[in-house]
Amino acid sequence: MTTDAISDSSAKDDFWQGVRLSMPVVVASAPFALLFGALAVEQGFSVLEAFLMSALVFGGASQMVGIQLFGQHVAPWLIVLSIFAVNFRHVLYSAGIGRRIAHWPLIQKALGYFILTDPQYAVAEARAQSGQTVGFAWYLGLGLPVYIFWIVESALGAVFGKLIPDTHALGIDFLLPIYFLGLVLGFRKRPLWLPVVIASAVGSIIAHKTVGSPWHVSIGAVAGILLAVILPPHHSGVGPRP
């Protein structure tokens, strides 16, 4: 077998490994994609507009905020500012993941940043922490199914209306928070994990009560980062930061 053939086989294996890891995210995000499509149509969006918003913005929370503000006829600059506030954490994600994908060509980096989501960052960071390389094929396999299913399910929600009439009654709206909690717990062996989580949670709660949504998400993240910067790496007793 030639070197090129071995490389192609390895890339395919990495891609499908990423696809398998993406399935829990696809399942957890499905109700929210369907709900977004239904709510978008309720706010006056066409099916095509709902589909394009999911395809171009690709941010569940920011899309929800956006359609609510569009429905209230809020000034465009305020809509943009609100969406930026919700998505500000992706600036932090990009800074973190940038050192993992620095070896990629520019086009691959651009695509990688576009499909970057909360779970995409967490799983990629965990892979890097385990000593494995974050390759483009693996990363694409992890992110592409989430992106494709998100825009397709958004369109289905827009076409068929409220397929899930009451997510609160069914408990479906809690799937994604549970998944995110699992991602956070996956980093529990890292130094400063517990103090950073507590600082982020407290900062987010205080911000939610005082500043309000959606700023509490970014403020909570910044609170955790500031604590990590201030405290020495050995604070948690685990040892030096890897």
Side-chain angles (χ1 to χ4, degrees):
M1 183 178 293
T2 64
T3 303
D4 289 342
I6 294 175
S7 179
D8 290 343
S9 176
S10 178
K12 289 180 181 178
D13 291 342
D14 286 347
F15 177 82
W16 289 112
Q17 182 187 30
V19 170
R20 288 192 294 272
L21 290 172
S22 75
M23 289 300 103
V25 189
V26 169
V27 173
S29 61
F32 297 90
L34 294 169
L35 184 60
F36 164 76
L39 293 177
V41 170
E42 276 191 2
Q43 296 295 339
F45 282 55
S46 67
V47 174
L48 178 60
E49 288 170 340
F51 174 85
L52 288 176
M53 188 173 186
S54 284
L56 298 176
V57 177
F58 187 44
S62 58
Q63 288 179 222
M64 290 293 190
V65 170
I67 59 172
Q68 290 176 3
L69 294 178
F70 273 119
Q72 297 172 12
H73 304 290
V74 175
W77 69 268
L78 186 56
I79 296 176
V80 173
L81 184 62
S82 299
I83 290 177
F84 176 79
V86 174
N87 277 346
F88 178 77
R89 67 191 187 281
H90 287 273
V91 176
L92 307 176
Y93 292 158
S94 298
I97 203 68
R99 67 189 192 280
R100 309 299 188 189
I101 64 175
H103 57 288
W104 293 5
L106 181 60
I107 294 179
Q108 291 183 357
K109 286 182 184 178
L111 180 58
Y113 286 128
F114 177 74
I115 62 174
L116 180 61
T117 59
D118 303 77
Q120 184 88 2
Y121 168 76
V123 176
E125 183 67 16
R127 180 180 176 88
Q129 287 292 321
S130 69
Q132 301 180 74
T133 301
V134 179
F136 179 70
W138 176 86
Y139 187 96
L140 190 64
L142 179 63
L144 194 58
V146 179
Y147 176 72
I148 292 174
F149 275 95
W150 176 262
I151 60 177
V152 170
E153 288 159 354
S154 295
L156 288 175
V159 171
F160 295 106
K162 288 191 174 181
L163 299 178
I164 306 174
D166 190 351
T167 60
H168 296 282
L170 297 176
I172 294 176
D173 59 321
F174 206 57
L175 283 175
L176 210 54
I178 289 176
Y179 180 78
F180 287 151
L181 179 60
L183 292 177
V184 173
L185 289 174
F187 292 92
R188 64 187 180 279
K189 294 183 179 180
R190 296 186 63 179
L192 300 178
W193 176 81
L194 185 58
V196 168
V197 168
I198 293 174
S200 295
V202 171
S204 181
I205 292 172
I206 294 175
H208 189 272
K209 296 295 185 180
T210 56
V211 182
S213 178
W215 294 97
H216 68 290
V217 177
S218 299
I219 292 174
V222 171
I225 292 172
L226 289 176
L227 184 68
V229 171
I230 294 172
L231 294 180
H234 61 275
H235 176 80
S236 64
V238 178
R241 187 185 301 273

